[in-house]
C-alpha cells in the first residue's frame, strides 16, 4: 500500500481528484439505465434563498443546463421567511429537508452569504450539484472547506458570477494570461486598479438601532445560523444584510467577486493570493460595514492589485495603472508566449454537470477570488498592513488579525 | 480631554445629521432628499462613517493616556448606551492601540467582565485581542446558558494551550447547548486529549451533541472512534445520514494524512461495501476515488 504520511488535506484531495478522473465517476442522472433517467431527461432542482437574487440565480442554473441539453424542473423552494407558508412538500424553511429529497439533483443557493458555504457543503454531502450565488463565502476558511467538499464528493460547484467565461474568450485577456503563466516576465511591475462600482455607502450597516420584534413568518434563529445570534432588526434582513460583518462584508463583498473573478483568470492568479495587503480607511465598526477609501494588494511576483472605492477619502495615488505588456518580454520570449497553446475552454455549469467535470468557476478558483475580497475587508477592519501566506491561507506574524481568517461558528453549525 | 469631549469628536451618523434638518415641506422634497442620500432605492436607514484615521489615532491615544481608569469609565458607558459612540470608541482602542495598550485594554475588559452589563460587547472585543489572561476570565462563563456560545468562540479564537485546557475542563460540567458548543470547539482546536470524553458523548441523547462530537473526533483523527462513527452513519436517516457519513469520510481523510492508511482503507472499504443503494452511489464513488489514491 502506498505510504502517504504527512500529506496535507489539500494535497490528499487533489490526488483523489486525479484518481476520480481516472475511474470516470458518473452520477445516476447522467448514466441512464433502468433506474436512472437518461441525460435527455429533466433534472430536479431546488432554490434555497428566494429573495433578491434568488430567481436570477435559479434562472442562471436553468439556462446553463438547457444550453448543455439538460432540463431543470423546480421541485422545491426554501426560505427562512416562510414559517407561515412552508408545507415541506414544495416550500420549506429548513434547507436540510430539501437536501434529503432524492429527486433533487441541482441546488441553487441565493441566501445571504453567511450560509453559502454551509449549504454548499451540505448539498454536496447529499450528492447534489451546486450553483452558488456570489460572494462565495463570508470568510476565507469557508472557501477552502467548500473546495475540499467539492473534491471529496466529486460534485459540480460553480460560483454565480460568470465574467471569467467571457474573459477566457477575449484575445487580449488570453495573451495577458499567457504572459503571466509563462513565467517569463521577471519583476512584474503591473498595476491593476479597479475604481468604483463597489457600492460602499449603499451597503453600509446601521450602528444605532433599536431591536425590534421578530416577524412571525421569520425563523430568526435559523437566519442567524452560524453567525453570532443578535437581536432582530429589519435592516439585517432582505438585501440590507450586506451591511453587516455577520452576514456579508458590505458593497465590497457584494460586488467585488464580479470584478475579481475574471481578474484572477486573466492575470493567472487562480492558484495564489496577495502576500501584502494595506487599506486606507477609517477604523471599522465591529458590526456594521462602513466606508473605506482604497486597498492595495501585492502578489509575490510583484503584481499590484488596487481597489479604489471612489467613495471616501483621497483617491489612490501611490502607483499608476500599468497593464501587462507583451513588449515587456524579449523578442525570443514573445515568440515563446505566442507559441503557447490556448487553455481548454472553461466548462459552464451545465456542461460540467453533463460531463461530470469541474466547472470553470469551480470552488478552488472561486475561493481565490473571494479571498481577495476577504483580505481587503480584513485590512479595512483591522487597519493593519497584513502579510498573507497563500499556501496556508493564513495571516503571517499577526495572530489577532489571523482570527478573522477562520472565525469559529455558532454551534451546532461548523465547516 | 475628558471622555465625553473625546466621544463628541466622533462623527455623527447620517441619521443624526438628518434629524437636525427641518422636515421636508412636501412629498416631492422628501423624495428628492432620499434620492440624494441613497442613489439606489435600497438602504433607507442611517449610515456609519468613522473619523479620519489620524483623528481616530489621536482620540485613542487620549483615552490610553488616562490609563486603566479611563477605560473603566468608557466600559461603564456601555451599560446604558445613549448612542453608538462608546461601543465604537472601545473597538477603536482594540484596533489602534499599541501592543502595550492592547494588553492593558484586554486586562481591563477582563476585569470588568464580572460586573459589566455589556458582557457580549466585552467578549466580542476579547475575541479580537484577548490572550491567556482573558481566557481564564472568559472560561467562567462556559457553562452560562446565555454567554457560553460567545465565550466559547472567543476562547477558541484565542486558541492557545490555555484556551484548549479551559474548554476541556469545562466540558464535563456543561449541559445543553453549552455542551454542544464546547464539544464543537474542542474539535475545531483538534484536542486529542478530549478524544475519550467526546467518544463518550457519542452515546448521549442530544442529537446535536452526537453529531458535533462525531465531527470533532473525525477532525482530531481518532482511530478508536471509527467503529462508532460508522455505526452512527449506517443507522442514520435523511440529512443526519449524509452528515454522519461526512464525518466518516473526514475521519478516513484525517487518518490517511496521519499515515494510518490501513485504518483509512478499512473505512473506505466499508463505504464501498455498504452504500449499495443507487441514491448513495456518489458516496461509493467517493470512497472508491479516495482508496484509489492508496493504490496508485
Amino acid at each position: 500500500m502506498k505510504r502517504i504520511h504527512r500529506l496535507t488535506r489539500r494535497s490528499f484531495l487533489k490526488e483523489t481528484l486525479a484518481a476520480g478522473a481516472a475511474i470516470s465517476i458518473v452520477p445516476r442522472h447522467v448514466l441512464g439505465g433502468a433506474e436512472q433517467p437518461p441525460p435527455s431527461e429533466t433534472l430536479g432542482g431546488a432554490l434555497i434563498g428566494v429573495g433578491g437574487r434568488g430567481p436570477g440565480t435559479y434562472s442562471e442554473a436553468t439556462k446553463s443546463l438547457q444550453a448543455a441539453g439538460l432540463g431543470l424542473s423546480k421541485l422545491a423552494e426554501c426560505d427562512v421567511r416562510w414559517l407561515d407558508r412552508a408545507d415541506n412538500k414544495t416550500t420549506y424553511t429548513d434547507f436540510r429537508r430539501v437536501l434529503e429529497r432524492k429527486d433533487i439533483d441541482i441546488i441553487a443557493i441565493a441566501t445571504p452569504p453567511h450560509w453559502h458555504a454551509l449549504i454548499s457543503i451540505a448539498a454536496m454531502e447529499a450528492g447534489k450539484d451546486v450553483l452558488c450565488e456570489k460572494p462565495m463565502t463570508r470568510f476565507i476558511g469557508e472557501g477552502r472547506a467548500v473546495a475540499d467538499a467539492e473534491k471529496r464528493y466529486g460534485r459540480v460547484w460553480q460560483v454565480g458570477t460568470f465574467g471569467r467565461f467571457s474573459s477566457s474568450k477575449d484575445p487580449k485577456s488570453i495573451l495577458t494570461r499567457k504572459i503571466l503563466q509563462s513565467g517569463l516576465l521577471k519583476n512584474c511591475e503591473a498595476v491593476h486598479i479597479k475604481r468604483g462600482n463597489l457600492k460602499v455607502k449603499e451597503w453600509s450597516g446601521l450602528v444605532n438601532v433599536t431591536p425590534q420584534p421578530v416577524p412571525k413568518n421569520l425563523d430568526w434563529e435559523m437566519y442567524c445560523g452560524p453567525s453570532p445570534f443578535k437581536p432582530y432588526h429589519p435592516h439585517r434582513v432582505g438585501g440590507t444584510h450586506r451591511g453587516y460583518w455577520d452576514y456579508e462584508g458590505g458593497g465590497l463583498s457584494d460586488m467585488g467577486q464580479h470584478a475579481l473573478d475574471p481578474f484572477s483568470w486573466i492575470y493567472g492568479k487562480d492558484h495564489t493570493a496577495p502576500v501584502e495587503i494595506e487599506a486606507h480607511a477609517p477604523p471599522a465598526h465591529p458590526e456594521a460595514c462602513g466606508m473605506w477609501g482604497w486597498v492595495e494588494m501585492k502578489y509575490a511576483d510583484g503584481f499590484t492589485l488596487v481597489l479604489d472605492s471612489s467613495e471616501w477619502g483621497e483617491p489612490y495615488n501611490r502607483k499608476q495603472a500599468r497593464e501587462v505588456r507583451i513588449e515587456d518580454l524579449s523578442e525570443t520570449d514573445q515568440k515563446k508566449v505566442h507559441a503557447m497553446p490556448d487553455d481548454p475552454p472553461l466548462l459552464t455549469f451545465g456542461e460540467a454537470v453533463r460531463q461530470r467535470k469541474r466547472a470553470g468557476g469551480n470552488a478552488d478558483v472561486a475561493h481565490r477570488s473571494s479571498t481577495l475580497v476577504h483580505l481587503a475587508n480584513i485590512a479595512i477592519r483591522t487597519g493593519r498592513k497584513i502579510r498573507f501566506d497563500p499556501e496556508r491561507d493564513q495571516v503571517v506574524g499577526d495572530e489577532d488579525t489571523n482570527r478573522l481568517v477562520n472565525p469559529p461558528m455558532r454551534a451546532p453549525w461548523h465547516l | 480631554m475628558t471622555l465625553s469631549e473625546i466621544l463628541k469628536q466622533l462623527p455623527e451618523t447620517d441619521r443624526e445629521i438628518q434629524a437636525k434638518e427641518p422636515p421636508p415641506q412636501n412629498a416631492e422634497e422628501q423624495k428628492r432628499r432620499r434620492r440624494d442620500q441613497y442613489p439606489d432605492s435600497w438602504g433607507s436607514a442611517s449610515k456609519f462613517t468613522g473619523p479620519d484615521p489620524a483623528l481616530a489615532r489621536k482620540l485613542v491615544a487620549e483615552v490610553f493616556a488616562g490609563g486603566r481608569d479611563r477605560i473603566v469609565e468608557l466600559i461603564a458607558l456601555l451599560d446604558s448606551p445613549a448612542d453608538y459612540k462608546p461601543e465604537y470608541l472601545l473597538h477603536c482602542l482594540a484596533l489602534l492601540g499599541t501592543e502595550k495598550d492592547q494588553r492593558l485594554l484586554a486586562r481591563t475588559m477582563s476585569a470588568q467582565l464580572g460586573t459589566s452589563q455589556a458582557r457580549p460587547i466585552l467578549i466580542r472585543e476579547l475575541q479580537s485581542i484577548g490572550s491567556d489572561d482573558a481566557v481564564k476570565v472568559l472560561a467562567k462563563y462556559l457553562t452560562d446558558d446565555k454567554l457560553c456560545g460567545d465565550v466559547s468562540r472567543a476562547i477558541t479564537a484565542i486558541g492557545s494551550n490555555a484556551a484548549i485546557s479551559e474548554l476541556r475542563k469545562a466540558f464535563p460540567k456543561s449541559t445543553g447547548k453549552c455542551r454542544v458548543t464546547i464539544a464543537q470547539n474542542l474539535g475545531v482546536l483538534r484536542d486529542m486529549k478530549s478524544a475519550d470524553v467526546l467518544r463518550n458523548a457519542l452515546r448521549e441523547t442530544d442529537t446535536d451533541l452526537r453529531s458535533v462530537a462525531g465531527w470533532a473526533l473525525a477532525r482530531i483523527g481518532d482511530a478508536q472512534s471509527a467503529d462508532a462513527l460508522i455505526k452512527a452513519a449506517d443507522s442514520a436517516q435523511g440529512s443526519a445520514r449524509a452528515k454522519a457519513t461526512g464525518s466518516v469520510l473526514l475521519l478516513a481523510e484525517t487518518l490517511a494524512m496521519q499515515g494510518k492508511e490501513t485504518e483509512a482503507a478499512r473505512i473506505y472499504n466499508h463505504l464501498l461495501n455498504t452504500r449499495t443503494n443507487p441514491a448513495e452511489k456518489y458516496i461509493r464513488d467517493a470512497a472508491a476515488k479516495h482508496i484509489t489514491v492508496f493504490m496508485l
Side-chain angles (χ1 to χ4, degrees):
Chain A
M1 194 173 279
K2 185 187 172 195
R3 298 295 301 179
I4 54 168
H5 194 43
R6 286 196 293 275
L7 268 180
T8 63
R9 193 175 304 281
R10 202 188 305 182
S11 58
F12 176 66
L13 289 170
K14 206 185 243 179
E15 284 202 44
T16 63
L17 192 68
I23 59 172
S24 300
I25 298 157
V26 183
R28 66 174 182 84
H29 56 259
V30 176
L31 267 176
E35 291 177 77
Q36 298 154 339
S40 57
E41 282 195 9
T42 297
L43 306 178
L47 171 62
I48 298 176
V50 301
R53 276 295 302 154
T57 307
Y58 192 85
S59 166
E60 291 287 356
T62 306
K63 281 190 288 184
S64 185
L65 289 161
Q66 279 174 348
L70 295 166
L72 184 66
S73 170
K74 192 189 280 180
L75 302 179
E77 289 187 323
C78 177
D79 199 293
V80 291
R81 291 171 299 185
W82 285 355
L83 281 177
D84 56 345
R85 58 172 286 199
D87 61 10
N88 284 327
K89 289 174 186 161
T90 58
T91 52
Y92 297 78
T93 55
D94 187 333
F95 69 90
R96 291 169 295 189
R97 302 290 83 78
V98 177
L99 299 182
E100 285 172 348
R101 287 180 57 165
K102 304 300 177 201
D103 55 348
I104 290 174
D105 307 282
I106 305 291
I107 299 292
I109 301 171
T111 61
H114 64 297
W115 270 113
H116 286 180
L118 288 179
I119 297 176
S120 287
I121 292 167
M124 292 189 282
E125 274 176 356
K128 321 297 186 194
D129 294 329
V130 177
L131 177 67
C132 179
E133 188 50 58
K134 57 76 204 166
M136 177 196 198
T137 49
R138 185 172 72 89
F139 55 81
I140 293 171
E142 289 181 325
R144 178 54 56 207
V146 174
D148 284 352
E150 181 195 35
K151 289 190 269 293
R152 183 175 299 134
Y153 294 98
R155 301 293 91 193
V156 174
W157 188 98
Q158 162 73 45
V159 69
T161 184
F162 308 96
R164 71 168 50 228
F165 289 90
S166 44
S167 294
S168 71
K169 292 170 188 157
D170 168 51
K172 187 168 175 264
S173 300
I174 291 168
L175 180 61
T176 302
R177 180 175 165 87
K178 283 182 181 176
I179 295 168
L180 285 159
Q181 284 195 322
S182 72
L184 296 168
L185 187 66
K186 308 298 176 198
N187 303 320
C188 178
E189 293 174 350
V191 180
H192 179 83
I193 302 180
K194 154 78 182 152
R195 285 191 203 276
N197 197 28
L198 289 165
K199 300 189 176 180
V200 179
K201 189 169 179 65
E202 186 177 340
W203 296 132
S204 299
L206 299 179
V207 296
N208 53 347
V209 293
T210 308
Q212 296 183 20
V214 179
K216 283 185 182 155
N217 61 325
L218 172 65
D219 186 344
W220 179 242
E221 166 72 31
M222 192 69 164
Y223 180 88
C224 293
S227 293
F229 189 82
K230 296 285 165 61
Y232 170 78
H233 188 278
H235 203 253
R236 285 180 169 265
V237 182
T240 46
H241 69 267
R242 293 178 173 97
Y244 299 88
W245 302 118
D246 285 341
Y247 318 123
E248 192 159 344
L252 177 53
S253 288
D254 180 42
M255 298 302 289
Q257 203 163 14
H258 277 317
L260 297 175
D261 198 61
F263 159 88
S264 289
W265 188 89
I266 295 167
Y267 295 100
K269 304 301 183 200
D270 275 340
H271 306 292
T272 188
V275 294
E276 273 185 22
I277 306 97
E278 193 175 355
H280 178 55
H285 189 272
E287 304 245 338
C289 311
M291 303 303 288
W292 54 274
W294 50 257
V295 184
E296 184 185 78
M297 300 194 250
K298 290 180 189 162
Y299 285 85
D301 66 359
F303 191 103
T304 302
L305 166 65
V306 176
L307 304 174
D308 183 341
S309 77
S310 305
E311 293 190 49
W312 183 87
E314 293 296 311
Y316 177 83
N317 62 4
R318 284 183 168 184
K319 292 181 178 180
Q320 298 295 313
R322 189 187 189 283
E323 280 305 303
V324 174
R325 302 171 192 150
I326 189 79
E327 295 80 18
D328 293 337
L329 300 175
S330 68
E331 278 190 27
T332 312
D333 286 347
Q334 287 182 30
K335 281 179 190 160
K336 285 181 191 166
V337 167
H338 286 304
M340 285 170 72
D342 287 348
D343 285 312
L346 297 178
L347 293 187
T348 64
F349 177 67
E351 290 165 344
V353 169
R354 175 156 211 140
Q355 298 177 33
R356 304 314 302 166
K357 290 182 178 169
R358 299 189 88 192
N362 60 66
D364 271 321
V365 300
H367 166 55
R368 288 304 191 183
S369 58
S370 64
T371 292
L372 294 171
V373 168
H374 297 317
L375 284 173
N377 265 335
I378 290 173
I380 289 165
R381 289 180 76 175
T382 60
R384 297 179 195 165
K385 187 169 181 176
I386 298 167
R387 287 190 299 126
F388 189 72
D389 178 346
E391 276 303 303
R392 293 171 57 236
D393 278 341
Q394 297 280 298
V395 171
V396 180
D398 184 345
E399 182 45 42
D400 292 355
T401 299
N402 200 42
R403 292 176 192 178
L404 292 173
V405 169
N406 197 7
M409 290 180 163
R410 189 167 70 106
W413 305 106
H414 57 75
L415 290 171
Chain B
M1 215 185 297
T2 65
L3 194 52
S4 71
E5 285 168 337
I6 292 169
L7 288 166
K8 268 184 196 159
Q9 294 200 42
L10 293 174
E12 294 173 310
T13 62
D14 288 355
R15 172 183 288 189
E16 290 163 325
I17 295 164
Q18 263 181 314
K20 291 177 187 169
E21 288 179 359
Q25 296 299 305
N26 49 48
E28 192 60 29
E29 190 185 344
Q30 186 172 14
K31 210 187 276 180
R32 182 187 57 76
R33 278 194 197 178
R34 193 180 156 91
R35 201 174 48 235
D36 289 350
Q37 188 170 12
Y38 308 112
D40 203 283
S41 59
W42 291 84
S44 56
S46 73
K47 308 292 178 183
F48 165 77
T49 302
D52 183 82
L55 174 63
R57 280 194 189 86
K58 188 181 149 211
L59 298 177
V60 163
E62 284 282 349
V63 177
F64 281 120
R68 182 185 178 280
D69 288 350
R70 189 165 282 177
I71 299 170
V72 171
E73 190 188 346
L74 178 62
I75 290 171
L77 291 178
L78 302 173
D79 286 354
S80 49
D83 65 18
Y84 79 99
K85 288 173 187 168
E87 180 184 352
Y88 175 63
L89 182 59
L90 185 77
H91 188 63
C92 288
L93 300 185
L95 289 177
L96 303 176
T98 63
E99 217 175 308
K100 189 180 154 200
D101 291 338
Q102 286 184 343
R103 279 202 300 273
L104 172 68
L105 177 64
R107 274 200 309 274
T108 311
M109 288 195 294
S110 300
Q112 297 301 304
L113 202 55
T115 52
S116 173
Q117 301 301 303
R119 284 188 192 129
I121 293 174
L122 300 184
I123 293 166
R124 185 188 63 206
E125 296 303 332
L126 286 169
Q127 180 166 334
S128 300
I129 62 160
S131 55
D132 285 354
D133 290 344
V135 164
K136 280 187 187 149
V137 182
L138 290 166
K140 291 178 189 166
Y141 301 94
L142 277 172
T143 52
D144 179 316
D145 262 0
K146 282 188 182 159
L147 294 174
C148 62
D150 289 350
V151 293
S152 185
R153 288 194 300 279
I155 289 171
T156 304
I158 294 167
S160 60
N161 287 335
I164 298 171
S165 171
E166 291 296 344
L167 289 171
R168 197 188 301 139
K169 273 195 280 182
F171 185 66
K173 295 178 275 181
S174 62
T175 57
K177 67 175 189 177
C178 298
R179 196 163 174 76
V180 175
T181 197
I182 295 171
Q184 176 164 314
N185 286 311
L186 286 167
V188 169
L189 295 171
R190 292 193 174 93
D191 181 33
M192 300 199 81
K193 289 182 184 168
S194 292
D196 285 346
V197 290
L198 290 169
R199 243 179 276 130
N200 290 337
L202 293 174
R203 294 194 291 270
E204 295 189 30
T205 52
D206 184 328
T207 51
D208 278 344
L209 178 66
R210 288 204 306 268
S211 172
V212 157
W215 171 82
L217 287 160
R219 219 175 123 77
I220 290 166
D222 178 51
Q224 284 186 55
S225 62
D227 287 338
L229 294 197
I230 287 170
K231 190 177 164 192
D234 287 355
S235 58
Q237 298 296 320
S239 66
R241 185 176 174 89
K243 197 89 199 150
T245 304
S247 290
V248 170
L249 280 168
L250 182 67
L251 175 62
E253 255 172 57
T254 313
L255 292 171
M257 288 189 302
Q258 291 173 350
K260 297 172 183 166
E261 303 92 344
T262 309
E263 289 93 330
R266 186 172 73 85
I267 292 172
Y268 289 134
N269 275 318
H270 176 85
L271 294 174
L272 272 172
N273 294 330
T274 56
R275 295 322 194 248
T276 51
N277 186 315
E280 289 189 305
K281 184 178 181 301
Y282 71 101
I283 294 292
R284 209 165 65 243
D285 289 342
K289 187 175 62 168
H290 287 71
I291 208 163
T292 306
V293 172
F294 300 126
M295 297 186 289
L296 283 174

